[in-house]
Amino acid sequence: MLVDTRWSAWNEEIEVQVTEAAALGPAAGLVGAVLSEAESACSLHRGDAEIHAVNLAQGLPVRVSVRLAGLLRSALWVARMTDGVVSPLAFDEPPSSVPSIHPEPTFADVQIDDATVLAPWGVSFDIGDTAKADTADRAAALVAHELECGVLVRVGGNVATAGHCPAGGWQVPVPGDGAVELPAGTALATAGADRTRASEGVGGGWEQVSVMAGDALWAYAAAASSQRRNLGAVAWLDQQELAARLVDYDGRVYTTCGWSHPHAA
């Protein structure tokens, strides 16, 4: 029997489903603790977040917590997997119309040695979105391990599962397409329209992108990257062998080969 609970945290709706009724309270407590730890590490909306020390360092090495180092590594992994399309770096000033004599720093210039971070001068980190996907994965794995039950954790548009699967699989709603079945240990991420980029003529070819993957971090990375790839996103997702559903601004639906039978993702 599935039981669930929902609440708001980190500017997102949080949902936890478990396969054992007695595990719901402890599961919610574990998920809440993982969320709180990640938010206090990297939320730019919190004045006491650890990430601010890194962003203020401007070319100087900073020792950080193990959790923030892990979240930064996840964000850099996303950047590598998407060829820099989804980058953790935000520049302090808009690019000048006058070419610089120095090359513009990229995510590849960031160094993390153990828990010491060295970022290029002139850039800062904005890793909230990748951190939420990473946290969904981490929280689901922790609940399944500690409570020995099946669990689904949703943080905003990121859904991660772990532990044994309920009969019929995890049924996860996809806006405009009913529900899809997630096998145990898989994930789904849905990215909505980036209307700011669309109005500026930068990417923005999709109203919505939903992607299934082995974990929420990769699912988020693929969905967010597809938002910036326009029509090339469908071919890119197929190359990655990912099940995905994309909706353009006219309501037309495109799917990859794997989405025809998404339960097999």
Side-chain angles (χ1 to χ4, degrees):
M1 179 183 71
L2 286 177
V3 291
D4 71 284
T5 185
R6 302 184 187 196
W7 70 94
S8 294
W10 203 352
N11 300 317
E12 301 286 1
E13 183 178 73
I14 312 302
E15 180 180 6
V16 177
Q17 294 184 33
V18 291
T19 55
E20 306 290 339
L24 184 59
L30 289 171
V31 173
V34 175
L35 283 164
S36 179
E37 181 186 35
E39 183 182 12
S40 65
C42 70
S43 174
L44 295 179
H45 299 292
R46 288 184 51 156
D48 62 346
E50 192 181 1
I51 193 73
H52 294 300
V54 179
N55 288 342
L56 290 171
Q58 294 300 296
L60 297 176
V62 180
R63 185 79 175 176
V64 301
S65 66
V66 172
R67 186 66 188 122
L68 180 56
L71 291 170
L72 287 168
R73 286 192 177 94
S74 291
L76 292 171
W77 178 85
V78 166
R80 290 194 298 273
M81 292 296 290
T82 61
D83 300 319
V85 174
V86 182
S87 174
L89 300 187
F91 289 86
D92 290 338
E93 298 179 358
S96 171
S97 59
V98 179
S100 170
I101 61 173
H102 301 290
E104 184 176 284
T106 72
F107 67 89
D109 297 311
V110 177
Q111 301 176 39
I112 303 179
D113 183 8
D114 191 15
T116 298
V117 180
L118 178 61
W121 182 89
V123 302
S124 57
F125 290 100
D126 182 356
I127 64 170
D129 290 337
T130 55
K132 290 173 182 178
D134 181 276
T135 298
D137 286 325
R138 181 180 176 86
L142 180 64
V143 170
H145 179 265
E146 293 292 326
L147 303 179
E148 298 183 349
C149 64
V151 59
L152 177 149
V153 175
R154 178 171 65 84
V155 180
N158 305 294
V159 176
T161 67
H164 58 265
C165 198
W170 295 104
Q171 299 298 313
V172 181
V174 174
D177 195 39
V180 295
E181 177 188 330
L182 281 185
T186 59
L188 173 75
T190 297
D194 188 340
R195 295 190 178 277
T196 299
R197 292 175 62 88
S199 65
E200 295 173 349
V202 181
W206 305 106
E207 180 77 20
Q208 176 183 301
V209 181
S210 299
V211 179
M212 286 185 176
D215 56 69
L217 185 64
W218 181 215
Y220 164 76
S225 175
S226 296
Q227 285 281 11
R228 297 162 172 79
R229 294 179 187 271
N230 290 325
L231 289 177
V234 180
W236 182 80
L237 289 163
D238 267 326
Q239 289 173 358
Q240 307 302 318
E241 298 183 346
L242 292 169
R245 178 180 184 272
L246 308 90
V247 184
D248 69 14
Y249 287 106
D250 294 319
R252 292 185 292 257
V253 176
Y254 300 74
T255 60
T256 62
C257 296
W259 193 263
S260 298
H261 302 285
H263 59 276

